[in-house]
């Protein structure tokens, strides 16, 4: 096989491969948990697992909520976000890692969640994220979230 033929066939294969489709996950901002009405001020689901390049739409299902990233709970180089109260926000997650988020007015009541972006290096910011000081009920909710994460299996590529 000549070098020219090899390069031409490699280019054809690269062009013929379909691009990986990106997807969007919806997280609702709610006054009551749909599965347990005793739980108030929640994101549903509170943990989502996505692939690099996917987006998450934080839907303003109930009033008085927003989604904002938590300082110290993002992968290195990831962009922070801060949605407005009562408005949905769509956030793109290009980098593998753990992204902690909160509802700004209800964080101390435990309205927090986690986006996990699978891929190489996805747990690189685990220790830093777990070390962020949480206030009020959020501290207990984060303990629950970290316990759930410890039980999960991931497709690290």
């Amino acid at each position: 096989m000549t070098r020219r033929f090899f390069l031409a066939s490699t280019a054809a294969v690269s062009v013929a491969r379909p691009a990986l489709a990106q997807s969007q996950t919806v997280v609702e901002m709610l006054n009551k948990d749909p599965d347990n009405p005793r739980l108030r001020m929640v994101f549903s689901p509170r943990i989502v697992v996505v692939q690099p390049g996917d987006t998450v739409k934080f839907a303003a299902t109930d009033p008085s909520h927003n989604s904002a990233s938590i300082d110290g709970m993002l992968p290195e180089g990831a962009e922070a976000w801060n949605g407005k109260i009562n408005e949905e926000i769509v956030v793109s997650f290009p980098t593998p890692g753990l992204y902690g988020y909160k509802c700004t007015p209800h964080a101390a009541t435990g309205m927090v969640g986690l986006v996990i972006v699978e891929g190489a290096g996805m747990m690189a910011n685990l220790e830093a994220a777990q070390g962020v000081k949480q206030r009020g009920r959020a501290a207990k909710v984060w303990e629950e979230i970290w316990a759930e994460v410890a039980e999960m299996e991931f497709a690290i590529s």
Side-chain angles (χ1 to χ4, degrees):
M1 180 184 302
T2 68
R3 178 178 158 90
R4 180 190 292 170
F5 177 78
F6 175 77
L7 292 175
S9 63
T10 303
V13 170
S14 296
V15 172
R17 260 190 346 207
L20 294 175
Q22 294 176 344
S23 66
Q24 184 174 82
T25 301
V26 176
V27 172
E28 292 183 289
M29 299 181 272
L30 301 168
N31 292 335
K32 285 192 277 187
D33 187 303
D35 300 321
N36 183 353
R38 285 196 239 162
L39 296 177
R40 306 245 179 220
M41 307 304 167
V42 297
F43 290 102
S44 182
R46 71 179 177 187
I47 300 174
V48 295
V49 180
V50 300
Q51 299 302 310
D54 286 354
T55 59
V56 174
K57 178 170 95 173
F58 294 93
T61 308
D62 290 334
S64 302
H65 304 296
N66 77 324
S67 172
S69 57
I70 298 173
D71 291 340
M73 296 186 80
L74 301 177
E76 189 174 323
E79 278 190 48
W81 72 92
N82 188 8
K84 293 181 180 175
I85 302 292
N86 298 324
E87 292 186 16
E88 76 179 34
I89 182 172
V90 176
V91 180
S92 178
F93 294 91
T95 305
L98 306 171
Y99 295 74
Y101 63 91
K102 65 184 177 185
C103 171
T104 305
H106 302 113
T109 66
M111 191 168 180
V112 297
L114 183 68
V115 174
I116 301 169
V117 182
E118 290 188 304
M122 65 183 268
M123 293 296 182
N125 68 315
L126 174 64
E127 191 173 315
Q130 288 177 325
V132 172
K133 181 130 174 81
Q134 303 294 336
R135 295 185 0 213
R137 178 151 162 60
K140 182 179 183 320
V141 173
W142 278 109
E143 285 177 18
E144 295 169 2
I145 289 172
W146 297 128
E148 286 181 52
V149 170
E151 304 258 329
M152 298 172 118
E153 294 183 20
F154 299 100
I156 300 173
S157 53

